Short mmCIF file of all heavy atoms in Angstrom, two decimals:
data_model
loop_
_atom_site.label_atom_id
_atom_site.label_comp_id
_atom_site.label_asym_id
_atom_site.label_seq_id
_atom_site.Cartn_x
_atom_site.Cartn_y
_atom_site.Cartn_z
N ASP A 1524 15.20 2.67 14.55
CA ASP A 1524 14.12 3.38 13.82
C ASP A 1524 13.79 2.64 12.53
O ASP A 1524 12.62 2.47 12.29
CB ASP A 1524 14.47 4.88 13.56
CG ASP A 1524 14.58 5.70 14.81
OD1 ASP A 1524 14.24 5.26 15.91
OD2 ASP A 1524 15.29 6.84 14.68
N LEU A 1527 11.85 -0.44 13.32
CA LEU A 1527 10.44 -0.16 13.73
C LEU A 1527 9.54 0.01 12.48
O LEU A 1527 8.58 -0.57 12.38
CB LEU A 1527 10.44 1.12 14.60
CG LEU A 1527 9.03 1.62 15.01
CD1 LEU A 1527 8.22 0.56 15.81
CD2 LEU A 1527 9.16 2.93 15.79
N ALA A 1528 10.15 0.77 11.54
CA ALA A 1528 9.38 1.08 10.28
C ALA A 1528 9.12 -0.16 9.61
O ALA A 1528 8.07 -0.43 9.08
CB ALA A 1528 10.15 2.12 9.51
N LEU A 1531 6.49 -2.43 11.19
CA LEU A 1531 5.09 -2.02 10.97
C LEU A 1531 4.60 -2.23 9.50
O LEU A 1531 3.50 -2.21 9.22
CB LEU A 1531 5.05 -0.42 11.23
CG LEU A 1531 5.13 -0.05 12.68
CD1 LEU A 1531 5.32 1.37 12.89
CD2 LEU A 1531 3.99 -0.62 13.56
N TRP A 1541 7.58 1.92 1.09
CA TRP A 1541 6.70 3.01 1.42
C TRP A 1541 7.00 3.50 2.84
O TRP A 1541 7.09 4.65 3.13
CB TRP A 1541 5.30 2.65 1.20
CG TRP A 1541 4.33 3.78 1.20
CD1 TRP A 1541 4.01 4.67 0.30
CD2 TRP A 1541 3.49 4.11 2.45
NE1 TRP A 1541 3.10 5.53 0.82
CE2 TRP A 1541 2.84 5.21 2.12
CE3 TRP A 1541 3.41 3.57 3.74
CZ2 TRP A 1541 1.91 5.84 2.93
CZ3 TRP A 1541 2.58 4.25 4.60
CH2 TRP A 1541 1.74 5.35 4.15
N MET A 1542 7.15 2.54 3.69
CA MET A 1542 7.37 2.87 5.13
C MET A 1542 8.75 3.48 5.26
O MET A 1542 8.98 4.32 6.19
CB MET A 1542 7.22 1.66 6.10
CG MET A 1542 5.83 1.27 6.35
SD MET A 1542 4.75 2.68 7.18
CE MET A 1542 5.64 2.76 8.73
N LEU A 1543 9.78 2.98 4.59
CA LEU A 1543 11.03 3.60 4.68
C LEU A 1543 11.07 4.99 4.21
O LEU A 1543 11.72 5.87 4.70
CB LEU A 1543 12.14 2.76 3.96
CG LEU A 1543 12.48 1.38 4.60
CD1 LEU A 1543 13.41 0.66 3.64
CD2 LEU A 1543 13.11 1.59 5.98
N GLU A 1544 10.21 5.23 3.15
CA GLU A 1544 10.13 6.65 2.73
C GLU A 1544 9.36 7.48 3.79
O GLU A 1544 9.66 8.67 4.01
CB GLU A 1544 9.33 6.71 1.33
CG GLU A 1544 9.15 8.01 0.84
CD GLU A 1544 10.42 8.89 0.73
OE1 GLU A 1544 11.39 8.31 0.25
OE2 GLU A 1544 10.44 10.03 1.04
N ARG A 1545 8.40 6.91 4.45
CA ARG A 1545 7.66 7.68 5.51
C ARG A 1545 8.70 8.01 6.71
O ARG A 1545 8.68 9.08 7.23
CB ARG A 1545 6.52 6.89 6.07
CG ARG A 1545 5.47 6.61 5.17
CD ARG A 1545 4.61 7.80 4.69
NE ARG A 1545 5.25 8.69 3.72
CZ ARG A 1545 5.44 8.40 2.48
NH1 ARG A 1545 5.04 7.28 1.89
NH2 ARG A 1545 6.07 9.28 1.61
N LEU A 1546 9.63 7.03 6.99
CA LEU A 1546 10.70 7.23 8.00
C LEU A 1546 11.54 8.42 7.56
O LEU A 1546 11.88 9.24 8.43
CB LEU A 1546 11.48 6.09 8.23
CG LEU A 1546 12.67 6.16 9.18
CD1 LEU A 1546 12.15 6.58 10.55
CD2 LEU A 1546 13.45 4.79 9.16
N ALA A 1547 11.93 8.48 6.30
CA ALA A 1547 12.73 9.60 5.75
C ALA A 1547 12.05 10.86 5.90
O ALA A 1547 12.60 11.92 6.20
CB ALA A 1547 13.13 9.30 4.39
N GLN A 1548 10.69 10.82 5.64
CA GLN A 1548 9.88 12.05 5.73
C GLN A 1548 9.85 12.47 7.20
O GLN A 1548 9.91 13.74 7.50
CB GLN A 1548 8.42 11.74 5.25
CG GLN A 1548 7.51 12.89 5.26
CD GLN A 1548 6.08 12.45 4.86
OE1 GLN A 1548 5.77 11.30 4.59
NE2 GLN A 1548 5.17 13.40 4.96
N ALA A 1549 9.70 11.64 8.17
CA ALA A 1549 9.56 11.97 9.52
C ALA A 1549 10.98 12.62 9.97
O ALA A 1549 10.96 13.66 10.66
CB ALA A 1549 9.39 10.71 10.37
N ARG A 1550 12.08 12.12 9.40
CA ARG A 1550 13.31 12.76 9.78
C ARG A 1550 13.45 14.13 9.21
O ARG A 1550 13.92 15.08 9.83
CB ARG A 1550 14.52 11.88 9.18
CG ARG A 1550 14.65 10.61 10.05
CD ARG A 1550 15.76 9.86 9.47
NE ARG A 1550 15.99 8.60 10.37
CZ ARG A 1550 16.50 7.59 9.95
NH1 ARG A 1550 16.97 7.42 8.64
NH2 ARG A 1550 16.65 6.45 10.73
N ARG A 1551 12.97 14.40 7.87
CA ARG A 1551 12.91 15.68 7.23
C ARG A 1551 12.13 16.67 8.10
O ARG A 1551 12.36 17.79 8.11
CB ARG A 1551 12.55 15.59 5.79
CG ARG A 1551 13.58 14.94 4.89
CD ARG A 1551 13.11 15.19 3.46
NE ARG A 1551 11.83 14.58 3.13
CZ ARG A 1551 11.57 13.26 2.71
NH1 ARG A 1551 12.65 12.51 2.55
NH2 ARG A 1551 10.35 12.90 2.41
N GLN A 1552 10.98 16.17 8.56
CA GLN A 1552 10.01 16.99 9.26
C GLN A 1552 10.48 17.20 10.72
O GLN A 1552 9.89 18.10 11.38
CB GLN A 1552 8.63 16.37 9.37
CG GLN A 1552 7.91 16.39 7.95
CD GLN A 1552 6.56 15.77 8.10
OE1 GLN A 1552 6.07 15.31 9.10
NE2 GLN A 1552 5.91 15.68 6.94
N GLY A 1553 11.54 16.54 11.11
CA GLY A 1553 12.02 16.80 12.53
C GLY A 1553 11.21 16.18 13.58
O GLY A 1553 11.02 16.79 14.67
N VAL A 1554 10.43 14.98 13.25
CA VAL A 1554 9.65 14.30 14.32
C VAL A 1554 10.58 13.91 15.44
O VAL A 1554 11.62 13.22 15.24
CB VAL A 1554 8.95 13.26 13.70
CG1 VAL A 1554 8.13 12.37 14.69
CG2 VAL A 1554 8.00 13.64 12.60
N ARG A 1555 10.22 14.25 16.66
CA ARG A 1555 11.00 13.84 17.85
C ARG A 1555 11.01 12.28 17.99
O ARG A 1555 10.01 11.64 17.66
CB ARG A 1555 10.41 14.53 19.13
CG ARG A 1555 10.63 15.98 19.13
CD ARG A 1555 10.19 16.55 20.45
NE ARG A 1555 10.42 17.95 20.52
CZ ARG A 1555 11.48 18.54 21.12
NH1 ARG A 1555 12.47 17.75 21.51
NH2 ARG A 1555 11.61 19.78 21.07
N ARG A 1556 12.03 11.87 18.58
CA ARG A 1556 12.20 10.38 18.74
C ARG A 1556 11.14 9.72 19.51
O ARG A 1556 10.75 8.66 19.15
CB ARG A 1556 13.63 10.09 19.29
CG ARG A 1556 13.99 8.68 19.27
CD ARG A 1556 15.40 8.55 19.05
NE ARG A 1556 15.88 7.20 18.69
CZ ARG A 1556 15.43 6.03 19.04
NH1 ARG A 1556 14.39 5.90 19.66
NH2 ARG A 1556 15.94 4.88 18.59
N ARG A 1557 10.68 10.36 20.60
CA ARG A 1557 9.63 9.81 21.38
C ARG A 1557 8.29 9.75 20.74
O ARG A 1557 7.41 9.05 21.02
CB ARG A 1557 9.58 10.51 22.75
CG ARG A 1557 8.79 11.80 22.74
CD ARG A 1557 8.74 12.21 24.20
NE ARG A 1557 9.92 13.02 24.43
CZ ARG A 1557 10.03 14.14 24.97
NH1 ARG A 1557 8.94 14.79 25.43
NH2 ARG A 1557 11.25 14.82 25.18
N GLU A 1558 8.18 10.70 19.72
CA GLU A 1558 6.84 10.68 18.94
C GLU A 1558 6.96 9.92 17.69
O GLU A 1558 5.84 9.50 17.07
CB GLU A 1558 6.63 12.17 18.47
CG GLU A 1558 6.45 13.10 19.70
CD GLU A 1558 6.55 14.59 19.28
OE1 GLU A 1558 6.75 14.85 18.17
OE2 GLU A 1558 6.34 15.40 20.20
N LEU A 1559 8.08 9.32 17.42
CA LEU A 1559 8.25 8.52 16.15
C LEU A 1559 7.44 7.24 16.08
O LEU A 1559 6.79 7.10 15.06
CB LEU A 1559 9.77 8.28 15.89
CG LEU A 1559 10.09 7.62 14.53
CD1 LEU A 1559 9.65 8.50 13.41
CD2 LEU A 1559 11.55 7.25 14.55
N PRO A 1560 7.36 6.52 17.14
CA PRO A 1560 6.52 5.25 17.01
C PRO A 1560 5.03 5.54 16.62
O PRO A 1560 4.50 4.95 15.73
CB PRO A 1560 6.62 4.61 18.36
CG PRO A 1560 7.97 5.10 18.87
CD PRO A 1560 8.12 6.51 18.42
N ALA A 1561 4.41 6.59 17.38
CA ALA A 1561 3.09 6.86 17.02
C ALA A 1561 2.94 7.49 15.62
O ALA A 1561 2.00 7.20 14.92
CB ALA A 1561 2.47 7.81 18.08
N TRP A 1562 3.90 8.25 15.17
CA TRP A 1562 3.85 8.84 13.91
C TRP A 1562 4.03 7.86 12.90
O TRP A 1562 3.16 7.84 11.83
CB TRP A 1562 5.05 9.92 13.80
CG TRP A 1562 5.01 10.79 12.56
CD1 TRP A 1562 4.40 12.05 12.63
CD2 TRP A 1562 5.42 10.45 11.27
NE1 TRP A 1562 4.64 12.60 11.25
CE2 TRP A 1562 5.16 11.71 10.48
CE3 TRP A 1562 5.94 9.40 10.66
CZ2 TRP A 1562 5.50 11.69 9.16
CZ3 TRP A 1562 6.25 9.45 9.31
CH2 TRP A 1562 6.08 10.63 8.53
N LEU A 1563 4.87 6.79 13.06
CA LEU A 1563 4.98 5.73 12.03
C LEU A 1563 3.76 4.78 12.04
O LEU A 1563 3.34 4.41 10.98
CB LEU A 1563 6.21 4.90 12.38
CG LEU A 1563 7.52 5.51 11.98
CD1 LEU A 1563 8.66 4.72 12.53
CD2 LEU A 1563 7.64 5.87 10.45
N GLU A 1564 3.09 4.69 13.24
CA GLU A 1564 1.93 3.81 13.16
C GLU A 1564 0.78 4.54 12.50
O GLU A 1564 0.01 3.86 11.71
CB GLU A 1564 1.47 3.57 14.64
CG GLU A 1564 2.37 2.55 15.35
CD GLU A 1564 1.90 2.33 16.81
OE1 GLU A 1564 0.91 2.96 17.26
OE2 GLU A 1564 2.65 1.69 17.56
N ARG A 1565 0.68 5.80 12.58
CA ARG A 1565 -0.33 6.56 11.86
C ARG A 1565 -0.01 6.45 10.23
O ARG A 1565 -0.88 6.37 9.46
CB ARG A 1565 -0.38 8.08 12.27
CG ARG A 1565 -1.05 8.20 13.57
CD ARG A 1565 -1.36 9.76 13.91
NE ARG A 1565 -0.18 10.57 13.85
CZ ARG A 1565 0.63 10.76 14.82
NH1 ARG A 1565 0.49 10.16 16.01
NH2 ARG A 1565 1.64 11.52 14.67
N ALA A 1566 1.25 6.55 9.96
CA ALA A 1566 1.72 6.41 8.62
C ALA A 1566 1.31 5.07 8.05
O ALA A 1566 0.79 4.91 6.92
CB ALA A 1566 3.14 6.77 8.47
N ALA A 1567 1.52 4.02 8.84
CA ALA A 1567 1.31 2.73 8.40
C ALA A 1567 -0.21 2.41 8.18
O ALA A 1567 -0.61 1.77 7.27
CB ALA A 1567 1.77 1.68 9.38
N ALA A 1568 -1.00 3.16 9.05
CA ALA A 1568 -2.47 2.97 8.96
C ALA A 1568 -2.98 3.72 7.63
O ALA A 1568 -4.05 3.39 7.03
CB ALA A 1568 -3.14 3.57 10.09
N GLY A 1569 -2.20 4.73 7.15
CA GLY A 1569 -2.58 5.54 5.99
C GLY A 1569 -1.96 4.97 4.68
O GLY A 1569 -2.10 5.53 3.67
N TYR A 1570 -1.50 3.78 4.74
CA TYR A 1570 -0.89 3.11 3.52
C TYR A 1570 -2.06 2.86 2.57
O TYR A 1570 -3.11 2.32 2.91
CB TYR A 1570 -0.28 1.72 3.83
CG TYR A 1570 0.40 1.00 2.61
CD1 TYR A 1570 1.42 1.61 2.07
CD2 TYR A 1570 -0.29 -0.10 2.15
CE1 TYR A 1570 2.05 0.86 0.97
CE2 TYR A 1570 0.23 -0.73 1.05
CZ TYR A 1570 1.46 -0.23 0.47
OH TYR A 1570 1.92 -0.90 -0.61
#
Side-chain angles (χ1 to χ4, degrees):
D1524 294 344
L1527 174 63
L1531 291 171
W1541 190 82
M1542 282 302 293
L1543 289 176
E1544 180 55 39
R1545 299 293 72 77
L1546 177 60
Q1548 178 184 3
R1550 287 180 179 155
R1551 286 191 302 270
Q1552 290 180 359
V1554 175
R1555 292 185 178 266
R1556 190 144 195 327
R1557 82 178 81 133
E1558 299 165 357
L1559 186 62
W1562 194 95
L1563 286 173
E1564 286 177 8
R1565 287 191 304 273
Y1570 181 72

